[in-house]
Amino acid sequence: MALLADGVSRLLIDGKLTSGGAGAFVTVNPATEEVLGEAADADAADMDRAIGAARRAFDETDWSTNTELRVRCVRQLRDAMREHVEELRDLTIADVGAPRMLTAGAQLEGPIADLSFAADTAEGYEWTQDLGQASPLGIPTRRSVVREAVGVVGAITPWNFPHQINLAKLGPALAAGNTVVLKPAPDTPWVAAVLGELIAEHTDIPAGVVNIVTSTDHALGAMLAKDPRVDMVSFTGSTATGRSVMADAAATIKKVFLELGGKSAFVVLDDADLAAACSVAGFSACVHAGQGCAITTRLVVPRARYDEAVAIAAGTMGSIKPGDPSKPGTVCGPVISARQRDRVQSYLDLAITEGGSFACGGGRPADQPAGFFIEPTVIAGLTNDARVAREEIFGPVLTVIAHDGDDDAVRIANDSPYGLSATVYGADSQRAAGVAARLRAGTVNVNGGVWYSADVPFGGYKQSGIGREMGTAGFEEYLEIKAIATAAN
């Protein structure tokens, strides 16, 4: 059966695909501005039902203790997505504006494959650790440490890499024994809702274990953070919204995972191949129109070669033309919405106000009359104190900043409220590794190394978040630890 065959997505609540209490809302292709179809628009009553279903499924079934069932179900979801991968690819390109080339990686096929890691981790995990016998306070005691599911997880996800983020939460949360209510961004409802179809029709996941609630009402996310029936909130999105989630969750002292913003630095040392480094930085800033929290958007280069670095980055970015994401060679597609395009443009206008200049780009491409496109843009002439160098823009924008040696480069890179990712390029690998070790960031790429992988934890320092997603650390975010002490006779 074709996915979303009638052009309308539905909620998944308590095992049933259903319409939304608030009706439906239109979803738009960001590359063409054409209407794709409709998505179910949930209301507060729908969210209340979803939370109740998740609570019952956790409390009244053996889901949390039946590891064999959970592993099988996660693998079934993986296999169902693989069987429908070409439909999912076309849907992702249309709903997200994701370039086709990225669907072979982090926009689709990578996250599907990563479900294997979640299932394999659960299957081989040491759920009980025997600490042996001891005599604390003189009492012979057998001790063990048990790891078990947190409970009901509220997952709130953004629109930029929706498959990756939805599955990076669902996979480990389910494999660890939790039940989940997923509230995806309204900008990309279809890629989340289609999981509901696949779960309901192609897996043995029991009713209520996964609930998917699409809605234009952002207050429904706050319901997850506030509701005492929810044991944990896993949120990916802006730092400002993360603060609200954390504040709402504080009332019930529930566990919170936050993966938030970034303003990551690409540090070029004075012994680096400047042409190679600045070309990589320019290309990276254009991928998916710069809509990635870990994309390096500050290019920090030796002052003596500043103009040369700007010219190289501008040469690369100026040659990358925003275009149709369905075409195989497109690197830079549209941003997600007219609202986001206007937001990016406001930062470009601000760059000029702050005294900067554009080495390339600076506005909307003249050859794209429709779609939410922004030209790849290099901003020159500003310091790290400028707002465009400090705030997350989420567009194909690279700000070039001069440094006066390694210590200054580290200072600039770390002079940010964020600490999500970073890159270091230098000919002397030991020197580059030494700089990388001093950076306050959760992931660091040295000379082109790739940190993105299912077994590598991802997350940041400072206002980039709390906790880690992916890897064993990401799996264990969804576990509680219980110590059991039994008197030994």
Side-chain angles (χ1 to χ4, degrees):
M1 187 180 77
L3 301 175
L4 301 180
D6 58 358
V8 179
S9 70
R10 291 169 176 80
L11 313 177
L12 176 64
I13 299 178
D14 206 8
K16 298 181 177 61
L17 297 171
T18 181
S19 57
F25 62 96
V26 168
T27 185
V28 174
N29 184 326
T32 65
E33 302 184 51
E34 295 174 351
V35 172
L36 293 173
E38 294 183 338
D41 199 2
D43 60 14
D46 293 321
M47 180 58 82
D48 181 73
R49 289 193 298 117
I51 294 171
R55 186 76 262 169
R56 289 191 300 276
F58 186 82
D59 292 342
E60 300 174 11
T61 76
D62 70 343
W63 176 257
S64 67
T65 57
N66 191 335
T67 303
E68 185 277 330
L69 172 63
R70 300 197 308 272
V71 168
R72 183 174 79 245
C73 287
V74 171
R75 289 174 177 158
Q76 286 174 335
L77 177 58
R78 176 202 62 195
D79 293 345
M81 295 188 76
R82 284 176 171 168
E83 289 170 11
H84 291 271
V85 71
E86 293 308 322
E87 287 179 83
L88 289 169
R89 193 184 318 280
D90 291 340
L91 184 151
T92 304
I93 293 166
D95 198 28
V96 185
R100 179 175 295 275
M101 62 180 290
L102 294 185
T103 63
Q107 282 287 11
L108 180 61
E109 293 185 45
I112 294 173
D114 290 350
L115 288 171
S116 298
F117 180 83
D120 294 349
T121 300
E123 190 171 48
Y125 194 71
E126 186 180 12
W127 297 96
T128 300
Q129 179 185 9
D130 184 1
L131 297 183
Q133 185 167 320
S135 297
L137 303 179
I139 300 173
T141 304
R142 293 189 300 272
R143 295 92 39 77
S144 61
V145 174
V146 177
R147 287 170 171 83
E148 57 190 26
V150 171
V152 175
V153 174
I156 307 170
T157 58
W159 43 259
N160 57 325
F161 282 80
H163 286 301
Q164 196 281 319
I165 299 168
N166 290 341
L167 295 179
K169 297 185 189 302
L170 277 176
L174 295 176
N178 301 279
T179 59
V180 181
V181 180
L182 172 63
K183 166 64 173 66
D187 305 86
T188 52
W190 276 13
V191 294
V194 74
L195 293 175
E197 282 193 19
L198 294 173
I199 287 168
E201 297 168 4
H202 297 278
T203 78
D204 296 324
I205 295 176
V209 167
V210 179
N211 305 271
I212 299 175
V213 182
T214 59
S215 178
T216 56
D217 185 356
H218 292 284
L220 269 58
M223 285 181 64
L224 287 171
K226 293 176 181 178
D227 197 302
R229 295 172 294 177
V230 176
D231 300 292
M232 174 181 176
V233 174
S234 180
F235 171 80
T236 298
S238 72
T239 297
T241 305
R243 290 190 189 98
S244 296
V245 169
M246 198 171 186
D248 288 339
T252 52
I253 318 295
K254 58 170 55 76
K255 192 172 185 179
V256 175
F257 166 81
L258 302 174
E259 195 273 284
L260 308 175
K263 194 68 179 180
S264 302
F266 191 119
V267 176
V268 182
L269 305 182
D270 61 16
D271 67 342
D273 181 334
L274 192 73
C278 294
S279 294
V280 169
F283 181 86
S284 300
C286 295
V287 173
H288 191 33
Q291 297 172 115
C293 53
I295 289 176
T296 45
T297 54
R298 291 182 294 150
L299 178 57
V300 184
V301 300
R303 188 176 302 277
R305 303 186 71 183
Y306 182 84
D307 291 344
E308 186 182 355
V310 168
I312 294 166
T316 298
M317 293 184 72
S319 70
I320 297 174
K321 304 302 180 185
D324 183 352
S326 68
K327 294 183 177 179
T330 298
V331 172
C332 183
V335 295
I336 192 63
S337 63
R339 180 183 66 255
Q340 181 63 15
R341 180 188 61 200
D342 293 345
R343 181 179 182 274
V344 175
Q345 186 63 58
S346 73
Y347 274 104
L348 298 181
D349 296 342
L350 175 64
I352 300 301
T353 301
E354 290 187 303
S357 61
F358 301 137
C360 67
R364 297 177 60 177
D367 62 346
Q368 296 289 350
F372 309 128
F373 293 97
I374 285 283
E375 295 173 309
T377 302
V378 172
I379 299 172
L382 295 176
T383 69
N384 198 54
D385 295 326
R387 280 181 58 195
V388 294
R390 303 195 69 78
E391 298 178 13
E392 189 172 43
I393 297 174
F394 237 57
V397 182
L398 183 67
T399 303
V400 187
I401 302 166
H403 74 74
D404 295 306
D406 293 7
D407 290 347
D408 193 44
V410 169
R411 178 192 63 79
I412 291 168
N414 289 339
D415 181 17
S416 170
Y418 301 111
L420 189 56
S421 193
T423 292
V424 180
Y425 264 60
D428 182 332
S429 59
Q430 285 190 324
R431 177 184 173 192
V435 170
R438 297 164 64 190
L439 299 179
R440 301 283 292 169
T443 59
V444 184
N445 153 3
V446 179
N447 290 331
V450 178
W451 46 259
Y452 173 72
S453 179
D455 61 343
V456 175
F458 173 69
Y461 291 22
K462 299 184 281 187
Q463 293 184 35
S464 286
I466 297 172
R468 292 296 182 269
E469 201 150 62
M470 304 176 70
T472 302
F475 180 82
E476 290 178 339
E477 291 284 350
Y478 296 97
L479 298 176
E480 290 281 18
I481 298 175
K482 177 186 290 180
I484 298 177
T486 303
N489 297 323

